[in-house]
Amino acid sequence: MAGSTDLPTQVSVVVIGGGVMGCSTLYHLAKTGISDVILLERNQLTSGTTWHSAAQVRALRSSKNLTDLIKYSVSLYSSLEQETGQSTGWINEGSLSIATNPDRLTFIKRQVSLAHLYGVEANSISVGEAKERWPLMNSDDVIGAVWSPGDGRVGPSDLCAALVKGAKAHGARIFEDTGVIAILTRGDKIVGLETSVGTIHCDAIAICTGLWSRENAMKAGVDIPIWPCEHFYLLTNPVEGISGNLPTLSDHDSHLYIRDDSGGLLIGCFEPSGKAINPEQIGENFAFQLLPEDWDHFEPMLNNALHRLPCLADAEVRMLLNGPESFTPDGSFLLGESAETRGLFLGCGMNSVGIATGGGAGMALAHCILNGHTPTDLHEVDPKRYPACFSSVEALTARVPEILGKHYAISFPGMQFQSARDLRKTPLHQRWVEHQAHFGQFYGWERPLYFGKQNEPVLTFDRPDWFEQVGAEVEIAHRHAAIFDQSTFGKIRVEGRDAESFLNRVCANDMTRSTGSAVYTAMLNQRGGFESDLIALRLNPDSYRLYVGTSAVKRDIAWLHRHLEPNQQVSINDETEAFSVLGLMGPDSAKIAHRLGATDLNDLAYFQHCPAEIGGVPVEAARLSYVGEAGWELTCAANQAVALFDALLNAGAKPAGIFAQTSMRIEKQFLAYGHDLDTDTNPFQAGLGFAIDWDSNFIGKQALLPLRDKKPKTRMVTIVLDDPQAMPLGNEPVYLDGSIIGQTTSAAFGYRIGKPVAIAQIETSPAQSLADLAVEVDIARNNFSGTISLTPAYDPKGQRMRSYLQV
Ligand SMILES: Cc1cc2nc3c(=O)[nH]c(=O)nc-3n(C[C@H](O)[C@H](O)[C@H](O)COP(=O)(O)OP(=O)(O)OC[C@H]3O[C@@H](n4cnc5c(N)ncnc54)[C@H](O)[C@@H]3O)c2cc1C
């Protein structure tokens, strides 16, 4: 390693942290040709969490692009030795997942469907075959298993040694015993940092400092929600019956992972409630150290392990290893540029998948530093996805034990975290409590999922507990009038002399509309993909209010700021909390508005808005609908929301929740960002080419022009399933004649059509039209027949409706 005296004073990029994330990021930056990149480590390489990792690499994740990162890791880990001469310790013995209850079996079968979709080899196998693969396992209570031959494990320190060797071969330098003590910014930009031995000027910094990342990001004024938990595995001396390497055994019902280690056993756990630990207690000098054993805490897991592996009773314990690992409020890591500070990149908060993901994540972070965006859409790990409320010590220490505890939980539809709730409430919260709302948490906000059933729902992959309630709310919106609380949608005021020209550059639709117009538009990136989709109200010639997705507001504000030119007179302000939005939807809406004194509202045309007074409350009423029923979205001052709600309720409207809204939007084929739209999807694929103004010079236009008259490679469509009992959830493969041609992206039961309905992204073919094509959707390895439609499953114009009650 270079000595601290050689420390340069000026480089392009500084990577902070010498664990797997830092080493991988450094390697990929150097390999791409950035030779003046350096890594600073305040202790020694791997000395934080990386050295003691169990280092399993299991490929399957919740999305294709996250899975692809691990597939990339696997190929890197198995080929680095050839490139560098340094082994990574890669062992490819596969992994075996077992199920001991029907829900787990459904879940792991769903994962097999997902694996096929994402190009990962995985197959259901018999209990007998599972036992053959893990002879020491007690299989008495096992009812099914899945075999994934491509999985394996690596030697974490060897891996870092190989990455560092590769990086150095391309000119990168590494400085150990060199801690970063301050980060230097000018305005909102990184300009350098101070180390224990000197100052370095640079354009970009990658914070890859594991559990210390929160305090390091804070040095640049960036607040990120990361907090460590203790993580345990037991090691034994050699055990009879173990020779050579075995697959990793995943017994997630028992909260365990099990593998061989030097002829003995390594038994790790994600116990139901983890132990958070204050990073200050761990300290800065925690190098190659461990936390104290805690046998009382581990005992229930030990009992589970004794049940699964009776041979453990005779094994000699080598140690109960306890190491700290960082976790985040949603269980996913942070990868990308911070919202607040340009040039500050984050690759941290790895939630126990740092080794598996490290190869691909380092590649993606390097790509992001060099190109300003990740190689594929990675919105699930975008650091800009968190509201400020999750950064408090109180919220973090409440949430992370649950995140660790749910690492192996079955991802049931509708599952909600129990901890760190009530962080953000809409002004109507108390009203929703009185109406027996079941709440879900979105971007920290509590939002009603559905109303009226008092018991906690029993989660299932079958028809959910809330099926009838949601149906009743859809019925209200469809036949009478419903009130939807849309107050959590982000609201961004864009104002000033140049607001119009600025928005015509960052938005693809024509923003030169008269005051009183509402425009559906998209913010696209240079590649023509969606950064956001939104509704803009033109409030006056110099002022627009943008309504964006609930969790998009921080990201969208950062995007807007980054595209504002120095000479443009535009202010950009977050107004989310200042205003409430109530959707009044359904055939009785006009009657209700009339009853409440807003007689003229009925004359308002679609995509127009106007000031009005409803029940004495001043509102801005916009003729829009996210659910395919006639009505208005009513924006009022937050402190007037209760008065507006009470007036609407007294005039005959009734509350409806998010589940009803989602079902209705999917029937109406309205796409949702993060589900159906992302940074890799362009408007032609989304069927949203109509929202492009080709006369303006918007960002993304150059990428879209060559595609303008071509059939897109994929298209968003609707699929209506024939079997009313089918339970699509989104992310299911779609088959035509035995081959996968696409995947569902959102799904629900469509109460107005009486059938399950999905939005799906499907490959197009020059020879065949997608319209009316009969396909099959694989739900937990059962194929359900359905028909593709290019138009919405439900459209109020003309179609004859069936109520779910007739199913
Ligand atoms: C018991 C256990 C088992 C695990 N098993 C698995 C597994 O099977 N599979 C898997 O994928 N993952 C596993 N993990 C998780 C995985 O090990 C981690 O996600 C990964 O090692 C984190 O790497 P990192 O580079 O983010 O952080 P670290 O390895 O902690 O590296 C961060 C480095 O930053 C340095 N640093 C901090 N502040 C500064 C500063 N100001 N200046 C300079 N340097 C600084 C630290 O000294 C440290 O070396 C496990 C974790 C534990 C604890």
Side-chain angles (χ1 to χ4, degrees), residues 685-704:
Q685 294 170 300
L688 296 172
F690 67 87
I692 294 176
D693 172 25
W694 291 106
D695 293 333
S696 86
N697 188 25
F698 60 90
I699 296 168
K701 182 175 179 178
Q702 293 314 312
L704 293 184

Side-chain angles (χ1 to χ4, degrees), residues 786-802:
T787 306
I788 289 184
S789 159
L790 300 182
T791 53
Y794 168 81
D795 203 324
K797 292 185 215 102
Q799 197 173 332
R800 196 165 165 265
M801 301 312 144
R802 288 175 66 207

Side-chain angles (χ1 to χ4, degrees), residues 501-509 521-532 558-565 568 682-683 691-705:
S501 58
F502 170 63
L503 288 179
N504 270 326
R505 173 100 182 110
V506 290
C507 295
N509 210 339
T521 186
M523 296 202 280
L524 303 177
N525 53 43
Q526 298 287 0
R527 285 127 34 235
F530 285 87
E531 288 294 325
S532 185
W559 182 263
L560 289 166
H561 274 297
R562 276 161 204 199
H563 292 89
L564 194 59
E565 284 163 20
Q568 285 184 312
N682 70 44
I692 294 176
D693 172 25
W694 291 106
D695 293 333
S696 86
N697 188 25
F698 60 90
I699 296 168
K701 182 175 179 178
Q702 293 314 312
L704 293 184
L705 273 172

Side-chain angles (χ1 to χ4, degrees), residues 243-259:
S243 61
N245 295 125
L246 290 167
T248 302
L249 174 59
S250 302
D251 178 7
H252 293 178
D253 292 325
S254 307
H255 314 280
L256 299 176
Y257 59 89
I258 301 167
R259 68 167 175 83

Side-chain angles (χ1 to χ4, degrees), residues 21 41-42 49-50 53-56 180 216 231 325 352 354-356:
M21 277 305 297
E41 163 56 53
R42 70 178 164 203
T49 292
T50 296
S53 178
Q56 303 160 95
V180 172
N216 284 319
H231 181 36
E325 163 68 343
S352 268
I355 303 295

